[in-house]
């Protein structure tokens, strides 16, 4: 399978820093709680000094949403939503050991991290691109939506959208669950320094996945010159 950002995304957002990791052999039987707590503590310490709305990582995504015509205080990127919840409630929700770990890394680094079930994605291509308007998106509640033309989303080869408003919300269709064994983790940053942050975050994911599952991983940092991540053999 191949994951990439469309040329129009790189042309419009040259500041984008992105990377992806593919892992096989994950399941829901391990306990990532202590490690997730350590990453969450880093975020909590940072929030003690200022709100998430002042983080440069969050501000960069707010500017991106504004450029896309999306009201950034109505539709927040995933990392901002998680940081906001952490600040207000003091904890993050428990969903799945890998998702919990990646959510904790997302708040620690301040950037969105998507985790998708590869077996729920129609290959051979998953592409981040503007929607045509005929893509189908399955909400977590089970309802079907259609991203508006021009809305940035993750689209597979069957025309299924796996996100709304780029980094705002993932799809219920490819959400990680008890059945999941193969995953694609995608980290995306827009702030100055993102090119250093993304590889560091991916390395942390790789190390945690190896420590908890002994899973086989492949990863790549994506650029305009090398936008494709081919994974899974």
């Amino acid at each position: 399978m191949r994951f990439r950002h469309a040329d129009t995304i790189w042309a419009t957002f040259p500041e984008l820093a992105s990377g992806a990791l593919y892992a096989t052999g994950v399941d829901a039987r391990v306990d990532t709680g202590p490690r997730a707590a350590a990453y969450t503590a880093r975020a909590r310490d940072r929030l003690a000094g200022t709100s998430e709305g002042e983080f440069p990582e969050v501000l960069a995504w707010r500017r991106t949403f504004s450029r896309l015509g999306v009201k950034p205080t109505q539709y927040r990127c995933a990392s901002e939503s998680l940081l906001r919840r952490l600040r207000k409630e003091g904890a993050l929700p428990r969903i799945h050991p890998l998702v919990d770990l990646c959510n904790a890394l997302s708040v620690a680094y301040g950037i969105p991290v998507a985790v998708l079930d590869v077996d729920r994605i129609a290959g051979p291509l998953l592409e981040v691109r503007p929607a045509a308007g005929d893509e189908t998106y399955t909400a977590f509640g089970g309802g079907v939506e259609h991203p508006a033309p021009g809305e940035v989303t993750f689209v597979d080869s069957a025309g299924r959208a796996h996100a709304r408003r780029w980094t705002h919300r993932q799809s219920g269709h490819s959400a990680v669950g008890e059945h999941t064994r193969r995953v694609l983790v995608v980290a995306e940053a827009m702030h100055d320094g993102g090119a250093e942050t993304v590889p560091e975050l991916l390395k942390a994911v790789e190390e945690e996945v190896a420590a908890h599952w002994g899973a086989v991983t492949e990863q790549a940092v994506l650029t305009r010159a090398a936008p494709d991540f081919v994974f899974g053999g």
Side-chain angles (χ1 to χ4, degrees):
M1 188 176 289
R2 183 163 59 110
F3 171 75
R4 73 188 310 272
H5 292 75
D7 292 341
T8 185
I9 296 296
W10 290 111
T12 306
F13 301 100
E15 68 273 30
L16 171 66
S18 177
L21 178 143
Y22 168 70
T24 62
V26 302
D27 57 38
R29 294 177 293 178
V30 304
D31 180 13
T32 60
R35 292 300 298 151
Y39 291 117
T40 303
R42 284 172 49 181
R44 194 180 288 110
D45 288 344
R46 193 176 179 190
L47 286 167
T50 186
S51 71
E52 68 283 351
E54 299 300 320
F55 288 11
E57 302 90 341
V58 169
L59 287 170
W61 271 108
R62 286 188 177 187
R63 290 192 295 269
T64 298
F65 277 25
S66 292
R67 289 171 62 188
L68 290 168
V70 176
K71 189 174 181 180
T73 54
Q74 180 178 2
Y75 300 104
R76 305 174 192 275
C77 76
S79 55
E80 181 179 0
S81 293
L82 288 169
L83 283 161
R84 182 180 172 88
R85 182 164 183 169
L86 179 62
R87 176 173 56 82
K88 290 187 171 184
E89 301 181 13
L92 297 177
R94 300 292 294 270
I95 299 170
H96 178 280
L98 179 59
V99 175
D100 298 346
L101 191 60
C102 287
N103 281 347
L105 282 162
S106 179
V107 295
Y109 285 90
I111 63 175
V113 179
V115 189
L116 301 97
D117 186 327
V118 170
D119 291 314
R120 301 287 288 171
I121 299 169
L125 176 65
L126 177 65
E127 185 174 45
V128 181
R129 63 164 174 81
D134 58 355
E135 297 85 359
T136 57
Y137 167 90
T138 302
F140 276 89
V144 175
E145 303 170 8
H146 298 281
E151 178 184 324
V152 178
T153 182
F154 288 49
V155 184
D156 69 18
S157 295
R160 185 181 291 275
H162 294 273
R164 291 299 312 268
R165 301 172 185 87
W166 199 344
T167 56
H168 168 60
R169 188 177 67 195
Q170 289 184 230
S171 165
H173 181 81
S174 53
V176 169
E178 292 287 336
H179 56 278
T180 301
R181 295 296 176 268
R182 301 194 301 152
V183 296
L184 178 68
V185 179
V186 179
E188 295 166 298
M190 287 290 187
H191 66 289
D192 290 342
E196 291 74 41
T197 302
V198 167
E200 185 179 337
L201 189 153
L202 287 179
K203 182 180 179 182
V205 175
E206 181 181 42
E207 291 174 349
E208 297 293 351
V209 166
H212 288 92
W213 288 277
V216 177
T217 62
E218 305 167 32
Q219 66 168 287
V221 173
L222 307 176
T223 66
R224 188 174 185 179
D228 291 358
F229 176 41
V230 180
F231 61 92

